């Protein structure tokens, strides 16, 4: 994590250079007026979305908490929406396209799943269950072991057991 933070200034510098290069290319192809109008419109739309996504996210979190449901899906969906709106509000074509991808449903769903997976890797299974609800796993039946002490046989591929579900936690 620290290595990624050390590279953050370099990444921001490269992003700024790329934004300027794309802006110059758009000015050459469309003209300065249209390029500035597009950037202004995306920034205004991003600011409006920031307010809307923030209010919607807070309401969804409160509703889930009051109903006793895990608030994680609503929080991760709101975070992705807020990030998309923030990227739209920042002047620039690259950031606007990235923000638009995060605001539209297909990109939002993919990004939300990524946020949930990253969170699940960084927190304990119990906390992940409290945040996102019970996890669903597939259980495959292993072939019987002939000799004692050889350990379990590899699972047969494609065979899924049907029956009673037991909730639990995997402890290493």
């Amino acid at each position: 994590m620290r290595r990624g933070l050390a590279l953050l200034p370099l990444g921001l510098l490269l992003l700024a250079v790329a934004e300027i290069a794309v802006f110059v290319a758009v000015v050459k192809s469309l003209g300065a007026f249209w390029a500035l109008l597009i950037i202004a419109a995306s920034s205004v739309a991003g600011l409006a979305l920031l307010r809307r996504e923030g209010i919607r996210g807070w309401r969804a979190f409160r509703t889930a908490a009051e109903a006793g449901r895990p608030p994680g899906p609503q929080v991760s969906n709101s975070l992705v929406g807020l990030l998309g709106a923030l990227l739209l509000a920042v002047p620039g074509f690259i950031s606007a396209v990235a923000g638009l991808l995060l605001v539209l449903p297909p990109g939002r769903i993919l990004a939300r799943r990524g946020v949930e997976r990253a969170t699940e890797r960084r927190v304990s299974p119990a906390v992940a269950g409290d945040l996102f609800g019970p996890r669903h796993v597939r259980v495959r039946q292993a072939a019987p072991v002939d000799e004692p002490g050889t350990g379990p046989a590899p699972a047969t591929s494609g065979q899924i057991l049907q029956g009673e579900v037991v909730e639990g936690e995997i402890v290493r």
Side-chain angles (χ1 to χ4, degrees):
M1 183 72 176
R2 290 184 186 186
R3 181 178 177 187
L5 289 177
L7 295 175
L8 184 65
L10 179 64
L12 290 175
L13 178 66
L14 290 174
L15 178 64
V17 169
E19 287 281 10
I20 291 170
V22 169
F23 180 75
V24 168
V26 171
V27 166
K28 284 186 178 183
S29 66
L30 295 179
F33 174 75
W34 289 109
L36 289 174
L37 185 66
I38 291 170
I39 285 182
S42 71
S43 294
V44 169
L47 290 173
L49 278 174
L50 266 175
R51 182 173 187 267
R52 189 187 86 172
E53 289 294 329
I55 291 171
R56 180 191 294 176
W58 178 249
R59 285 182 183 156
F61 172 76
R62 284 186 44 199
T63 303
E66 289 171 359
R69 294 188 321 258
Q74 285 80 12
V75 171
S76 60
N77 192 31
S78 297
L79 285 175
V80 169
L82 283 170
L83 179 62
L86 183 65
L87 286 172
L88 268 173
V90 171
F93 289 103
I94 297 173
S95 61
V97 169
L100 194 60
L101 288 175
L102 291 177
V103 169
L104 296 176
R108 179 179 279 205
I109 290 169
L110 289 174
R112 188 190 77 223
R113 288 181 185 159
V115 167
E116 289 177 4
R117 282 190 205 111
T119 303
E120 288 173 351
R121 282 194 305 265
R122 287 176 172 77
V123 299
S124 71
V127 173
D130 290 342
L131 282 175
F132 303 114
R135 306 287 82 200
H136 301 284
V137 296
R138 291 185 178 177
V139 178
R140 293 186 177 93
Q141 185 176 14
V145 177
D146 290 335
E147 299 176 23
T150 59
T156 57
S157 62
Q159 184 180 10
I160 299 175
L161 296 178
Q162 300 293 329
E164 188 177 333
V165 175
V166 178
E167 292 189 26
E169 179 178 336
I170 299 173
V171 179
R172 291 184 184 173

